[in-house]
Amino acid sequence: MVYLNDDIDSFDFEASLAKLSSQRREQALRFRSERDRKLCALAYILLCEGLRKEYGITELPLFDYGEHGKPFIIGHPDIHFNISHCREAVVCVLSDRPVGVDVEGMRGYRESLVRYTMNDAEISEIEQSACPEIEFIRLWTRKEAVMKCYGSGITNDIKHVLEHNSLETTTITSADNRYVYSVCYGN
């Protein structure tokens, strides 16, 4: 199940502090910018909402981390989740199988970044698109969601992440084209 909030400006960070575990509160308070503190807290609150609605879990989750930093919920190895945020939105996905999610806001098109991260077929797809900026972000979020699903982190072979990948991946562009997110479900 996907939980999303793209109204970051209205989120009350101070009021949210009481809803965070001490672990997450400390993490949120380490951020320098107010927006980053909000994003960290909001991601956790979306996770708590999902745990309550999907699994009936009301206690505040505590995290541990895998080899490449992918978080998991202590005491609930059967629940998989992943979180991502950008300046425009926060997304949390819960599942009974491995999952990865990435959300990215629209940014200027940089050909050097495209050439560094995309293979020839993807570059062609981007260049032929009516909106290359959006197509690049769509492909980038898919790659990142796949890598996060595997828990591998960003690999040296980023150009070929989507080749021969049979995992279920969904990509959504916001109605106002402010951001794109992709979700990848493992087997």
Side-chain angles (χ1 to χ4, degrees), residues 67-70 146-153:
E67 178 183 350
H68 296 286
K70 185 172 183 176
V146 167
M147 291 183 288
K148 289 175 75 175
C149 183
Y150 286 126
S152 64

Side-chain angles (χ1 to χ4, degrees), residues 12-87:
D12 186 343
F13 174 72
E14 294 301 323
S16 77
L17 289 174
K19 300 175 183 177
L20 306 179
S21 68
S22 59
Q23 179 190 48
R24 191 62 171 200
R25 188 177 316 111
E26 289 172 16
Q27 184 180 6
L29 291 170
R30 282 196 295 264
F31 288 100
R32 291 183 188 178
S33 79
E34 178 185 358
R35 187 153 199 103
D36 288 340
R37 289 190 297 269
K38 282 183 171 187
L39 294 170
C40 181
L42 183 52
Y44 186 83
I45 288 171
L46 288 176
L47 173 63
C48 290
E49 178 184 342
L51 289 171
R52 187 179 68 256
K53 287 181 177 178
E54 305 299 323
Y55 299 96
I57 296 172
T58 57
E59 74 263 10
L60 297 177
L62 295 176
F63 303 143
D64 204 350
Y65 298 87
E67 178 183 350
H68 296 286
K70 185 172 183 176
F72 60 89
I73 302 169
I74 296 172
H76 296 282
D78 55 327
I79 300 174
H80 299 269
F81 80 98
N82 205 234
I83 295 170
S84 184
H85 52 76
C86 63
R87 292 193 54 76

Side-chain angles (χ1 to χ4, degrees), residues 46-145:
L46 288 176
L47 173 63
C48 290
E49 178 184 342
L51 289 171
R52 187 179 68 256
K53 287 181 177 178
E54 305 299 323
Y55 299 96
I57 296 172
T58 57
E59 74 263 10
L60 297 177
L62 295 176
F63 303 143
D64 204 350
Y65 298 87
E67 178 183 350
H68 296 286
K70 185 172 183 176
F72 60 89
I73 302 169
I74 296 172
H76 296 282
D78 55 327
I79 300 174
H80 299 269
F81 80 98
N82 205 234
I83 295 170
S84 184
H85 52 76
C86 63
R87 292 193 54 76
E88 296 76 18
V90 177
V91 182
C92 175
V93 181
L94 290 101
S95 180
D96 59 353
R97 56 190 171 143
V99 64
V101 64
D102 186 48
V103 62
E104 299 287 340
M106 288 299 127
R107 54 182 174 240
Y109 182 85
R110 290 190 7 228
E111 187 172 340
S112 61
L113 183 59
V114 170
R115 298 225 174 268
Y116 182 74
T117 58
M118 302 293 155
N119 63 41
D120 290 341
E122 293 164 342
I123 290 170
S124 178
E125 191 175 329
I126 291 166
E127 289 174 345
Q128 292 175 19
S129 170
C131 190
E133 305 85 23
I134 292 176
E135 191 58 33
F136 169 72
I137 297 296
R138 289 176 55 78
L139 287 165
W140 174 260
T141 60
R142 289 186 67 211
K143 288 178 183 231
E144 185 126 0

Side-chain angles (χ1 to χ4, degrees), residues 156-175:
N156 292 333
D157 196 21
I158 193 149
K159 288 185 177 191
H160 304 285
V161 167
L162 299 178
E163 291 177 5
H164 313 295
N165 176 30
S166 62
L167 298 179
E168 174 188 345
T169 307
T170 303
T171 302
I172 306 292
T173 302
S174 67

